[in-house]
Amino acid sequence: NPSGYTYSHYEIKGEECLVYYTANKHKLTYIIDNDIFEYEYSFGETISEFKELKEGYTVKWHDLLITEMPDNNVVIKGSYVPLEYNLTLVDGDNIIKYLVDCGDTLILPTLKDGINTFEGWFDREGYKYETMPAFDLTLFTLDPNSISIIVS
């Protein structure tokens, strides 16, 4: 048998004997932190680009990525790396900008003016965020669900 192939069958055609082989199949496993992705490829088959990324993250590979399936099972390990997004806090004319990793807990400043009760930071729809989403985010001290200014 040729390396990487298994005998399949033969066929007699006139005076010729045709021998057929099938490429061996193997598993390609990606382990990224606690996530496991398994694929089956035939020997010599071109490996598709890994595209099952978690939103807001990229992957740092610890092992060399392969482009063609060898004649054995392969395990490739990596770790998720969060992408950075812009966080903008707007308090009247005061604007503060940060770069924050996706998934990080948002520890936002509490404002005091001695008059109003600070209700927190809101997006334009009135939503409060506890962790950084996978997009740029602007938060305001003005609660868009009410007419009054929370912090002036």
Side-chain angles (χ1 to χ4, degrees):
N1 290 346
S3 178
Y5 296 88
T6 303
Y7 170 77
S8 173
H9 65 281
Y10 72 92
E11 189 177 313
I12 305 282
K13 285 196 174 189
E15 294 183 18
E16 290 184 338
C17 177
L18 302 173
V19 180
Y20 294 90
Y21 295 91
T22 303
N24 296 334
K25 292 189 179 290
H26 296 283
K27 279 186 183 178
L28 171 58
T29 304
Y30 295 98
I31 301 175
I32 307 169
D33 294 334
N34 296 321
D35 294 336
I36 298 172
F37 305 90
E38 289 187 332
Y39 304 92
E40 185 176 84
Y41 283 94
S42 297
F43 167 71
E45 188 176 349
T46 300
I47 304 299
S48 302
E49 179 184 347
F50 183 81
K51 294 184 178 177
E52 295 194 50
L53 293 176
K54 193 165 27 168
E55 184 182 20
Y57 294 82
T58 187
V59 175
K60 178 183 181 206
W61 298 108
H62 306 303
D63 300 307
L64 185 64
L65 294 177
I66 59 174
T67 56
E68 187 176 289
M69 193 66 193
D71 193 22
N72 56 278
N73 293 331
V74 175
V75 175
I76 298 175
K77 294 181 180 178
S79 297
Y80 288 114
V81 177
L83 298 173
E84 287 185 329
Y85 293 92
N86 294 306
L87 171 63
T88 305
L89 301 180
V90 179
D91 172 30
D93 292 333
N94 298 318
I95 298 173
I96 304 168
K97 294 186 179 211
Y98 301 96
L99 275 178
V100 182
D101 288 346
C102 177
D104 276 3
T105 299
L106 294 177
I107 301 170
L108 303 173
T110 300
L111 303 179
K112 295 179 183 175
D113 69 357
I115 300 169
N116 299 296
T117 302
F118 181 69
E119 299 292 334
W121 297 93
F122 301 88
D123 69 6
R124 291 213 182 271
E125 285 77 42
Y127 185 78
K128 284 177 138 178
Y129 287 81
E130 293 184 17
T131 58
M132 188 64 188
F135 52 83
D136 292 339
L137 180 62
T138 301
L139 299 177
F140 303 86
T141 57
L142 173 62
D143 181 349
N145 295 322
S146 68
I147 300 172
S148 62
I149 294 177
I150 296 168
V151 175
S152 50

